[in-house]
Amino acid sequence: MKVTKHKKARKYMSFYINNFGFKEPLLVLIDGTFAHAAYKVRIQIEDQLKKYFQCELKLIVTACIITETENIGGPLVSVCQLLKKFLVHKCGHEKHPISGVACIRAMTKTCNYIVATQDRDLQEWVRARPGIPLFYLHNNQVPTLVQPSDASVKAAAGKLHSKVLVREVDEKMLASLKHKEGLMPEKETQPKRRKKVKNPNPLSCKKSKKNKNDKTSCPEVRRQGGVQSQTIEKRKRKRIKLPKHVVEYLKAGGPEAPN
């Protein structure tokens, strides 16, 4: 459970750091109700908050919060002594102190604070304002950082959209200035080439090969088959040699050799 709790706290604070300019050391503004709830369950506020956020932070109160706790008196005397241990931040109401709730509302308008309170009305006010993290003790015991409210999410989305628009405008202005100064050559408009109709693949249209040894498949071979066979036989015929005495007899004027 502790690992999950710390992961959520880092995730929520990274949202405020990226979108609303929060940075370390984180400033935690504590009121009398939060200090009273922590005092009742014996929670060491500074140690518990450092373990919870796992980063550098400062615990801050104002003179208005201390004065309001002192005026209540009674069981809150020890709570007042606890608040005086934290860093007292100047709120501008030192001469004419106001209520702690009004002081916290005024303080969150000028700087980024994490508001730590158990006051339900002040919690609702913080949720309705974008960019203000809310911290409280769940069931007056468990330190809890509240998930960013819908107002904070919408404000962050609006900032992101405005950044995108400004970036597009800046890019257009820069491009126009480059064109005027001649630093950016104009793009040549070339006519688009029409795609030619391609012929079918000749390999797909190729006829099947016939057997070359089949002489009957070719009409020319059938027509000239007899002539070709005769010429081949003539070429292969060998001459018959006559014996010597027959040749001498013919040379001597004997009767003619039969044809």
Side-chain angles (χ1 to χ4, degrees):
M1 294 295 291
K2 290 184 179 180
V3 176
T4 304
K5 180 173 63 176
H6 295 321
K7 282 185 177 180
K8 287 184 178 180
R10 288 194 296 269
K11 179 181 177 181
Y12 297 159
M13 282 313 305
S14 63
F15 170 80
Y16 289 105
I17 290 170
N18 296 328
N19 295 290
F20 296 99
F22 280 75
K23 59 183 179 180
E24 295 186 19
L26 301 176
L27 304 178
V28 184
L29 186 57
I30 299 173
D31 71 345
T33 60
F34 184 86
H36 180 58
Y39 178 78
K40 286 197 302 182
V41 294
R42 305 299 180 185
I43 291 178
Q44 298 295 328
I45 297 177
E46 187 172 1
D47 294 339
Q48 289 294 326
L49 266 64
K50 286 182 178 179
K51 289 180 181 179
Y52 184 85
F53 287 99
Q54 296 183 347
C55 66
E56 187 179 357
L57 53 84
K58 292 181 180 180
L59 306 182
I60 296 173
V61 295
T62 63
C64 297
I65 295 172
I66 294 174
T67 303
E68 183 182 35
T69 309
E70 284 180 343
N71 293 335
I72 295 173
L76 297 183
V77 175
S78 55
V79 176
C80 182
Q81 297 297 324
L82 177 62
L83 290 173
K84 288 181 180 180
K85 294 180 180 179
F86 303 136
L87 180 64
V88 180
H89 196 75
K90 291 183 179 180
C91 59
H93 311 128
E94 287 79 10
K95 294 182 179 179
H96 303 284
I98 59 178
S99 65
V101 174
C103 183
I104 290 173
R105 291 180 179 180
M107 291 285 289
T108 53
K109 292 180 181 179
T110 58
C111 189
N112 292 328
Y113 294 102
I114 300 172
V115 177
T117 181
Q118 300 295 113
D119 189 345
R120 294 296 180 86
D121 295 334
L122 182 57
Q123 289 178 0
E124 293 298 327
W125 183 87
V126 170
R127 286 191 181 97
R129 299 298 183 278
I132 305 177
L134 176 62
F135 188 79
Y136 76 108
L137 296 178
H138 183 64
N139 293 329
N140 292 329
Q141 292 181 350
V142 183
T144 304
L145 180 65
V146 180
Q147 182 179 356
S149 61
D150 294 338
S152 297
V153 173
K154 289 180 181 179
K159 286 185 178 182
L160 181 61
H161 182 65
S162 62
K163 287 181 181 179
V164 172
L165 292 178
V166 171
R167 187 177 298 172
E168 291 179 354
V169 172
D170 291 342
E171 288 178 355
K172 290 180 181 179
M173 290 286 291
L174 183 62
S176 62
L177 291 173
K178 285 184 178 180
H179 279 300
K180 287 181 181 180
E181 297 296 332
L183 299 176
M184 182 183 291
E186 296 183 357
K187 295 181 180 180
E188 297 180 357
T189 56
Q190 296 181 355
K192 294 183 179 180
R193 296 181 178 179
R194 293 183 179 180
K195 293 184 178 180
K196 296 182 179 180
V197 179
K198 295 182 179 180
N199 295 325
N201 189 356
L203 296 177
S204 63
C205 301
K206 191 174 181 181
K207 295 181 180 180
S208 59
K209 295 181 178 180
K210 295 182 180 180
N211 191 0
K212 294 181 179 180
N213 298 326
D214 189 4
K215 296 180 180 180
T216 58
S217 60
C218 183
E220 295 181 357
V221 175
R222 287 198 301 269
R223 288 196 299 271
Q224 300 176 2
V227 179
Q228 288 182 354
S229 60
Q230 292 176 2
T231 54
I232 292 170
E233 290 178 357
K234 288 181 180 180
R235 289 177 184 175
K236 291 183 178 181
R237 184 179 296 174
K238 295 181 180 180
R239 291 183 180 182
I240 300 172
K241 293 183 179 181
L242 298 174
K244 290 182 179 181
H245 65 280
V246 176
V247 174
E248 291 177 357
Y249 177 75
L250 292 174
K251 286 181 179 180
E256 295 181 357
N259 291 330

